[in-house]
Amino acid sequence: MTSLPAVAVDAPKEKPRPFVRQSAAAARVAQTRARAATAPARRHAPSPSVAATPSTAPSLFAAPARAELGNLPKEYAGGQAARGARLGMLGNRDFLDTPFNMTSYTSKLIENQQARTLSDVLENDPSVRFTVSSGQVRENFRIRGFSVLVSETALNGLYGVAPDGRVPTEFLERVEVLKGPAALLSGMAPYGAVGGSINLVTKQAGDTPVTSVTGDYTSNSQFGTHIDVGRRFGQDNTFGVRFNGAYRGGDTTLDYQSRERGLEALALDYRGEKLRIALDAYFNQEIASGGVPMMASFTGTGVAAAPDSSNNIFRGLSGRMNNSGAMGRVEYDLADNVTLFASAGAIDARFNGLTNSTVATNVNVLGRYSGTSIDLRGYTDTISFQGGLRADFRTFDIGHRLSLSAANLESKIGSAFQRSSAYVSSIYFPVTPLIARDPGEAPKSTDTTLSSIALADTLSAFDDRAQLILGLRAQRVQTKSYNTTTGAETNYYDESAVTPAFGLIIKPLPMPMSLYANYIEGLTQGDRVTDTAAANYNQIFPPYKSRQIETGVKWDAGQIANTLSFYEIEKPSLIKSGNVYNSDGRQRNQGVEWNVFGEIVEGVRILGGAAYTIGVLTKTANGQLDGKTAYGTPKWQVNLGGEWDTPFVPGLTLEGRVVYTSAQFVNSANTQKIPEWARLDAGLRYSTQLLDKKVTFRANANNLLDHNYWAGSYFADGIVILSAPRTVLLSATVDF
């Protein structure tokens, strides 16, 4: 019998499915699911308290690269700074893909340095100095030698709605500092912010639940607490809630002064497949009683030696600042490559008492002066809006990211003040000053509307190794000033201009390095006279144009990031003639900056840099001061800090920072000069586990050697600010 050949039977094959193109949103969901599926298992089982919290699984709807909501740039090595920041209408960008010098400070840095307010964070930046004495009710800055007011700070990219006065940090995720004008990128800041812009990014609920409680102490006897709670809820973790509350009160390092501060901040958000929404609301209040840190102006050509920084020459005076603010943001992916965005917000800011006008005027070399006290009262009501779209597409081998944006800011400002009779005192042996009477309700002094529309395109080629940003912004400034006594209109300006900007990025080498250049112009609301002693106090001058040219190189060494910048900025400036300010001046600042952040080796981190600036008055009234050095522009500024995770005590980290400022002129005539100064800050922290909870103890001492010095120049001609005394900060944080 013949046997049949063996037959192999194959398993039935699945019928092939027709090809269906996956949407970008669906692809993002699939990628997020895959990451969640391949994530490593927990090394230890969670404690019962952790297990009871909402899911720590990541949200399934990842935001596209062009989005801002839910797309926070990652921390860089060491965690003190982030890889990128918000570049205005262009959205979040990596620092190597940004043709500007920028640094984004993280909440980790804020917590570890116990930075109580915005100025404490900016102590890390070599391009930034302060224009009011530490501990004032307001904190204002100077970036690249130009004044930037705290009221020009943006909140989540929106001008006019950030807290006025001293900005609390407990509700902040990032503090982003962009050097130079940013008119194309972010629209017009309320008063120009020519030297740079500061953007505050609020905390939102992350995929990991957060519950932390911090108790703290600040010398001399201030005690406080901070509560931070964040959760995500709903299917796919689409809903988020984050609350931050803080309170601090007690005596400060200034003799006889006490300070009380409170903050409540709530952030809600929704992350859908195409729609993302975020809502923020906050209220903060700060009260200073018993005195406010001094500032001083001098007679003749001499400058008196700085007094003890704890010396309270304005004892008995007080100030209060209240802020209520809210904003909403929304993004919608109209198509796979198009995202619409909009944000709107408002703030009601009120102040009264002695704020930043505490000036001992005409101090002689022996420290004696004839002074007056001032009681201020005022308000700022602002409504702000911006919106637009971002679209990604290609034409042949050229990539495009097109950005269209419109912005509008309406602000009403009221102010009033009363001055006391003159009294004689000394900055070394002060007498109790005469107290000015309450000026009563503050009448409206200014109406301002800043509106603009901008179009920009980022062209890229050769795998993004060459990028060119081209943009135009049409801007309009409308300003009305009023006589605060009669209510009559005193000035009206309605100016418009179209200002260009471009940025170029070239990555010539295989290594992560970029060469960059930028040119940017901006129309800016004219300067406002803030010197209460001036005859034209509160006057606002016509709008003006500013210009910047900048080139530089950025290098990412994997664990260390460096930026080297060369820049020139020109802008009109105020000149004081007798007791009157005018806008006839023009100032040119040229400089070189080096910024660094990252981890040198494992456990050793570095942050800071150096700035060299030459500020010159190129045009002055009748040419009398042409060629003089602009006041408040020291040639050298250095801020360099480091951290070391000690190998001999696991969990222990040592910290240190050096801050140096060279000598500087404090008046336009260059007849008064303050000497150079240097300051040492130090600290340590220790993290451990107690009862299955992470606990972190922190101790910092700023101005460790308690050095007394004139720290810099106010944003009015001839006025200097005083250093802060040694300040000790202690805290303990428990993560539940």
Side-chain angles (χ1 to χ4, degrees), residues 162-173:
D164 200 1
R166 300 208 314 161
V167 178
T169 59
E170 288 87 356
F171 75 131
L172 300 181
E173 186 66 44

Side-chain angles (χ1 to χ4, degrees), residues 449-582:
T449 300
L450 308 177
S451 55
S452 65
I453 185 168
L455 179 66
D457 189 11
T458 302
L459 299 87
S460 58
F462 310 111
D463 294 327
D464 292 340
R465 303 194 71 82
Q467 301 178 48
L468 176 64
I469 300 173
L470 300 173
L472 292 172
R473 184 174 288 270
Q475 305 177 85
R476 184 182 182 187
V477 179
Q478 297 169 280
T479 303
K480 292 181 180 180
S481 299
Y482 302 92
N483 184 306
T484 56
T485 300
T486 66
E489 183 179 309
T490 56
N491 290 287
Y492 176 68
Y493 303 111
D494 188 347
E495 301 286 344
S496 300
V498 176
T499 54
F502 83 84
L504 178 65
I505 301 168
I506 301 293
K507 300 177 181 179
L509 302 175
M511 62 190 300
M513 173 186 287
S514 62
L515 307 176
Y516 76 91
N518 69 64
Y519 173 81
I520 190 166
E521 292 183 4
L523 182 68
T524 301
Q525 179 183 349
D527 289 324
R528 176 171 171 259
V529 178
T530 58
D531 183 357
T532 54
N536 57 339
Y537 167 69
N538 251 340
Q539 180 179 350
I540 297 180
F541 291 94
Y544 58 81
K545 278 188 177 182
S546 58
R547 299 175 178 84
Q548 173 182 273
I549 299 174
E550 180 180 351
T551 61
V553 58
K554 300 183 180 185
W555 176 35
D556 181 1
Q559 297 291 102
I560 292 288
N562 291 271
T563 299
L564 184 64
S565 305
F566 304 84
Y567 69 87
E568 177 179 288
I569 302 176
E570 285 190 330
K571 71 173 285 288
S573 61
L574 293 184
I575 294 294
K576 189 176 184 181
S577 178
N579 196 35
V580 178
Y581 287 84
N582 63 67

Side-chain angles (χ1 to χ4, degrees), residues 110 182 298 317 321 346 350 472 633 640 668 704 721:
I110 293 172
F298 304 98
L317 305 182
M321 197 87 192
R350 309 274 160 170
L472 292 172
T633 56
L640 197 59
S668 296
L704 180 65
I721 65 175

Side-chain angles (χ1 to χ4, degrees), residues 109-147:
L109 171 85
I110 293 172
E111 293 166 3
N112 288 336
Q113 292 188 353
Q114 303 188 73
R116 308 285 198 237
T117 69
L118 177 60
S119 63
D120 297 331
V121 182
L122 299 182
E123 289 279 12
N124 296 285
D125 202 302
S127 301
V128 180
R129 287 298 182 265
F130 310 115
T131 60
V132 293
S133 298
S134 177
Q136 285 276 357
V137 180
R138 271 198 173 93
E139 48 188 10
N140 298 313
F141 314 101
R142 197 182 298 277
I143 304 178
R144 287 185 169 176
F146 292 107
S147 176

Side-chain angles (χ1 to χ4, degrees), residues 111 210-214 226-230 244 733-736:
E111 293 166 3
V210 171
T211 304
S212 71
V213 177
T214 300
H226 170 213
I227 299 173
D228 185 359
V229 180
N244 278 270
T733 300
V734 181
D735 294 318
F736 293 92

Side-chain angles (χ1 to χ4, degrees), residues 488-730:
E489 183 179 309
T490 56
N491 290 287
Y492 176 68
Y493 303 111
D494 188 347
E495 301 286 344
S496 300
V498 176
T499 54
F502 83 84
L504 178 65
I505 301 168
I506 301 293
K507 300 177 181 179
L509 302 175
M511 62 190 300
M513 173 186 287
S514 62
L515 307 176
Y516 76 91
N518 69 64
Y519 173 81
I520 190 166
E521 292 183 4
L523 182 68
T524 301
Q525 179 183 349
D527 289 324
R528 176 171 171 259
V529 178
T530 58
D531 183 357
T532 54
N536 57 339
Y537 167 69
N538 251 340
Q539 180 179 350
I540 297 180
F541 291 94
Y544 58 81
K545 278 188 177 182
S546 58
R547 299 175 178 84
Q548 173 182 273
I549 299 174
E550 180 180 351
T551 61
V553 58
K554 300 183 180 185
W555 176 35
D556 181 1
Q559 297 291 102
I560 292 288
N562 291 271
T563 299
L564 184 64
S565 305
F566 304 84
Y567 69 87
E568 177 179 288
I569 302 176
E570 285 190 330
K571 71 173 285 288
S573 61
L574 293 184
I575 294 294
K576 189 176 184 181
S577 178
N579 196 35
V580 178
Y581 287 84
N582 63 67
S583 60
D584 295 335
R586 180 166 291 274
Q587 181 176 335
R588 181 186 66 230
N589 285 11
Q590 297 170 310
V592 183
E593 296 167 329
W594 167 62
N595 293 84
V596 61
F597 53 84
E599 199 163 26
I600 301 175
V601 296
E602 186 176 358
V604 179
R605 292 169 290 279
I606 188 172
L607 177 69
Y612 178 80
T613 307
I614 298 176
V616 178
L617 301 177
T618 58
K619 181 183 178 183
T620 61
N622 301 318
Q624 294 179 349
L625 302 177
D626 289 5
K628 296 289 187 179
T629 299
Y631 69 85
T633 56
K635 286 188 175 181
W636 285 102
Q637 297 176 177
V638 178
N639 298 56
L640 197 59
E643 293 186 344
W644 177 39
D645 299 334
T646 61
F648 46 83
V649 180
L652 177 65
T653 299
L654 304 182
E655 308 169 17
R657 180 174 61 199
V658 174
V659 182
Y660 168 79
T661 302
S662 64
Q664 60 184 289
F665 291 108
V666 295
N667 65 340
S668 296
N670 290 180
T671 58
Q672 297 172 348
K673 192 175 187 179
I674 59 175
E676 65 179 357
W677 58 267
R679 192 187 80 219
L680 175 64
D681 303 332
L684 58 86
R685 65 178 181 271
Y686 177 66
S687 295
T688 186
Q689 291 281 334
L690 292 177
L691 301 177
D692 292 330
K693 301 294 186 291
K694 180 184 176 182
V695 181
T696 303
F697 300 95
R698 299 179 178 93
N700 294 83
N702 296 330
N703 192 4
L704 180 65
L705 303 180
D706 202 18
H707 181 37
N708 302 311
Y709 53 91
W710 298 118
S713 179
Y714 186 56
F715 51 80
D717 200 321
I719 300 176
V720 301
I721 65 175
L722 187 62
S723 61
R726 178 171 52 226
T727 305
V728 176
L729 305 101
L730 306 174

Side-chain angles (χ1 to χ4, degrees), residues 48 58 62 71 87 95 142 145 184 188 199 233 247 255 283 308 378 429 440 492-493 523 546 615 627 673 687:
N71 194 28
L87 199 61
F95 83 100
R142 197 182 298 277
L184 169 73
M188 287 177 286
N199 182 46
F233 301 95
Y247 174 82
D255 294 342
F283 172 78
D308 189 316
F429 307 101
Y492 176 68
Y493 303 111
L523 182 68
S546 58
K673 192 175 187 179
S687 295

